[in-house]
Amino acid sequence: MLKGIILIVCAASFWGLGGVAGQFLFKYYAMDPFWLVMVRQIIAGSCFLGYAALVHKVDVFDFLRKYPVTMIKFSFIGILGAQLGFYYTINLCNAATATVLQYSAPVYVMLWMSYTQRRMPEGREIIGIFGAIVGVFLIATHGSLNSLALSPAALFVGLLSAISYAYYSIKPVDLLKVYPASVIIGWGQLISGLSLISMRNPLVVPVELDTMAWVAMVYLILGATIASYGLYLGGLKIVGPTKASLISCAEPLASIIAVVLLLDTKLVLPDYVGMGCIIFTVLLLSLPKK
C-alpha cells in the first residue's frame, strides 16, 4: 500500500510540475502555447501508441476503424480542449491557478451525472458545488466585487478547460472496458496534436531555446506526460481508484509550492483560500458513498 501511495504521489507531482515547466517557458522564453501543446501531443501520442502496439500487442488501428467519430470528439473536445486550455491559461496567469481551475472538473462531472440520472444534487454534492463557486470567486476577485484579480480571459479559458477535462473523464469510460487506456489516450493526443499543424509548423521552433528550455520541454513530454501516466497506473493497481483520486490532490499542491518557490509567483491569502476550497471540493466528491 505504501508503494502504491508513493507511486500516486509521484505521478501527481509530475503532473503538477508539468504546468510549472510550461509557465517557465512562457515567462522566460515567450513560448507559443499552441506550438508547445502541438509538439507535446504528437510526441506523447506516438509514444503511447507505440507502447500499446509493442508491449500490449494491440492493433491500434482497429480502435480507430471502429470508433472514428467517437475518437474525433474525444480528441478535440476532451484532450485538445483540456490541454490547450490548460497551457493557454498558464500563459495568461500562472500554473497554480490554471491547475486549480481545471481541478474543478469533478463538479461538472457530478452535475452531468445528476442530469443524466434525472436527480437533484444531494448533500455533499451541494456542498461541493458551493465550495467550487466560492473557490473560483476568491481566485478571480480576491473577495472584492469591484475588480477582477484574474483576467476575464484567464478565468474563461481556465473554466473551459475544466469542462473539457470533465468530458475527457466521462467519454471513454465504456471504451476503456474494451481497449487499453494507452490506445485511447494515444490516439486522442496524436490527433489533437496533428490538428494544430494547420496553425503551426512543428519543425520550426517559434523562439530561441537554450539548454534549460529544452530540459523543460523534454520534461513536459517525458516526465509530465509519459512517466506520470505510468506511475499513476502502477499505483492505481495497488491502492484502487478511490484512494488514487484522493491522493491525486497532491497535483495542485505540488504546482502551488513549485510556482511560489521556483518561479517567484506571488499568491495572496484569498488565492490560497480559494484553492483550498476547490481542493476540498475534489476530496469531498472523491469519497465513495456509503
Side-chain angles (χ1 to χ4, degrees), residues 32-173:
D32 175 15
F34 284 85
W35 187 88
L36 177 67
V37 170
M38 174 182 60
V39 172
R40 176 180 181 266
Q41 301 296 82
I42 291 174
I43 296 177
S46 300
C47 290
F48 281 125
L49 291 174
Y51 174 81
L54 297 175
V55 178
H56 290 297
K57 307 299 182 182
V58 176
D59 180 0
V60 295
F61 294 99
D62 179 67
F63 171 73
L64 202 59
R65 287 192 295 267
K66 290 182 178 178
Y67 303 98
V69 176
T70 299
M71 197 66 250
I72 290 172
K73 289 180 180 178
F74 178 64
S75 299
F76 285 91
I77 302 174
I79 291 190
L80 187 61
Q83 294 299 319
L84 184 57
F86 175 63
Y87 282 100
Y88 198 76
T89 305
I90 293 174
N91 189 41
L92 295 172
C93 54
N94 60 75
T97 301
T99 302
V100 173
L101 286 176
Q102 193 177 73
Y103 226 62
S104 64
V107 175
Y108 304 114
V109 174
M110 180 269 295
L111 290 173
W112 174 252
M113 298 304 293
S114 295
Y115 170 74
T116 56
Q117 296 170 7
R118 298 295 188 270
R119 65 173 181 83
M120 292 295 292
E122 305 169 351
R124 63 179 179 184
E125 294 177 337
I126 296 175
I127 297 174
I129 294 171
F130 178 76
I133 292 173
V134 170
V136 171
F137 171 77
L138 289 174
I139 292 171
T141 68
H142 286 178
S144 172
L145 292 173
N146 298 321
S147 62
L148 282 174
L150 191 66
S151 74
L155 180 61
F156 175 76
V157 177
L159 293 177
L160 199 61
S161 75
I163 294 173
S164 291
Y165 192 71
Y167 181 89
Y168 168 91
S169 303
I170 296 169
K171 187 64 176 176
V173 170

